[in-house]
Amino acid sequence: RKEVEQDPGPFNVPEGATVAFNCTYSNSASQSFFWYRQDCRKEPKLLMSVYSSGNEDGRFTAQLNRASQYISLLIRDSKLSDSATYLCVVNRVRRGSQGNLIFGKGTKLSVKP
Amino acid sequence: DAGITQSPRHKVTETGTPVTLRCHQTENHRYMYWYRQDPGHGLRLIHYSYGVKDTDKGEVSDGYSVSRSKTEDFLLTLESATSSQTSVYFCAISESETGAGYTFGSGTRLTVV
């Protein structure tokens, strides 16, 4: 199993749609989870952290299922400006350390008028 | 936005020449990272630093070296550039090892001809 795996997409959705992205990770000892957003030819930017109890930030909801080693991101009422690539991020656990972050290859979202 | 700048933003160089990319931060963060991003591979860690003069290898470190003589600067050197090192290079910083995620610089587009 790859360390962090995402469906590459692209997801093409109309404005106003709800879209969900999924991600799986291989190391059950991982403790830190994030979603990043990357616009074309730009740097990745932190969208939100993912907490065990699930968390919401406006139209965005993140969920974590530790038993299945699965992370999700739900975007409600999609906007044109949501078009970007969404990166699933997990820490690489090393002996005695939380390790650094591993980035998934990303899921591309295109929101159409 | 966090104070992190990369230079140069774009560079074209010839095969076999040494190249140094610079990452400068004004946040006094302990951790600094160099990633490369290529189509089909996502972000891959080259080297990272956990303090002045403290560095370690990432997953794709061959052909690269780094130095950190001051908290604010992290240099990436391609000892003898090859065409396979044509890529977009991102520097990132963080206060803790994984904590609240990383903040990225705007990237350096390097072309080796």
Side-chain angles (χ1 to χ4, degrees), chain B residues 2-6 23-27 32 91-93 103-106:
Chain B
I4 173 172
T5 55
Q6 292 184 232
C23 179
H24 178 77
Q25 59 141 334
T26 57
E27 302 297 315
M32 298 185 77
C91 176
I93 60 174
T103 302
F104 283 84
S106 300

Side-chain angles (χ1 to χ4, degrees), chain A residues 32 34 36 38 41-46 87 91-92 94 97-101 103 105, chain B residues 33 35 37 40-43 45 48 59 90 97-102 104-106 109:
Chain A
S32 300
F34 307 93
Y36 274 69
Q38 186 172 24
R41 300 177 76 83
K42 298 285 190 181
E43 72 273 22
K45 292 186 177 179
L46 179 64
L87 309 176
N91 68 303
R92 173 184 283 122
R94 294 195 305 269
S97 164
Q98 278 300 299
N100 42 52
L101 296 183
F103 289 77
K105 294 180 183 179
Chain B
Y33 310 85
Y35 284 85
Q37 188 172 37
H41 289 280
L43 282 158
L45 183 65
Y48 63 100
E59 58 186 301
F90 287 105
E97 196 162 23
T98 56
Y102 299 169
F104 283 84
S106 300
R109 294 189 172 272

Side-chain angles (χ1 to χ4, degrees), chain A residues 11-12 25-26 39 45 61 66-67 71 74 76 87 89 99:
Chain A
F11 283 55
N12 298 308
Y25 61 96
S26 61
D39 293 298
K45 292 186 177 179
T61 300
R66 286 188 185 274
I71 305 162
L74 184 76
R76 290 182 299 278
L87 309 176
V89 184

Side-chain angles (χ1 to χ4, degrees), chain A residues 59-74:
Chain A
R59 298 181 292 108
F60 299 83
T61 300
Q63 298 278 354
L64 170 64
N65 183 323
R66 286 188 185 274
S68 302
Q69 294 175 216
Y70 172 98
I71 305 162
S72 65
L73 177 68
L74 184 76

Side-chain angles (χ1 to χ4, degrees), chain B residues 23-95:
Chain B
C23 179
H24 178 77
Q25 59 141 334
T26 57
E27 302 297 315
N28 201 36
H29 285 176
R30 177 181 174 189
Y31 296 89
M32 298 185 77
Y33 310 85
W34 277 107
Y35 284 85
R36 62 178 288 176
Q37 188 172 37
D38 305 287
H41 289 280
L43 282 158
R44 293 180 291 174
L45 183 65
I46 305 171
H47 281 281
Y48 63 100
S49 170
Y50 44 94
V52 174
K53 297 193 188 320
D54 290 325
T55 65
D56 207 347
K57 295 179 180 180
E59 58 186 301
V60 290
S61 59
D62 287 349
Y64 302 94
S65 62
V66 289
S67 67
R68 192 165 178 204
S69 58
K70 299 185 289 184
T71 297
E72 57 265 36
D73 289 324
F74 192 32
L75 304 181
L76 176 71
T77 297
L78 288 65
E79 291 140 10
S80 177
T82 67
S83 58
S84 64
Q85 294 176 311
T86 292
S87 186
V88 180
Y89 291 86
F90 287 105
C91 176
I93 60 174
S94 66
E95 263 186 297

Side-chain angles (χ1 to χ4, degrees), chain A residues 75-86:
Chain A
I75 305 175
R76 290 182 299 278
D77 188 22
S78 299
K79 312 289 185 193
L80 295 176
S81 58
D82 293 334
S83 296
T85 297
Y86 291 83

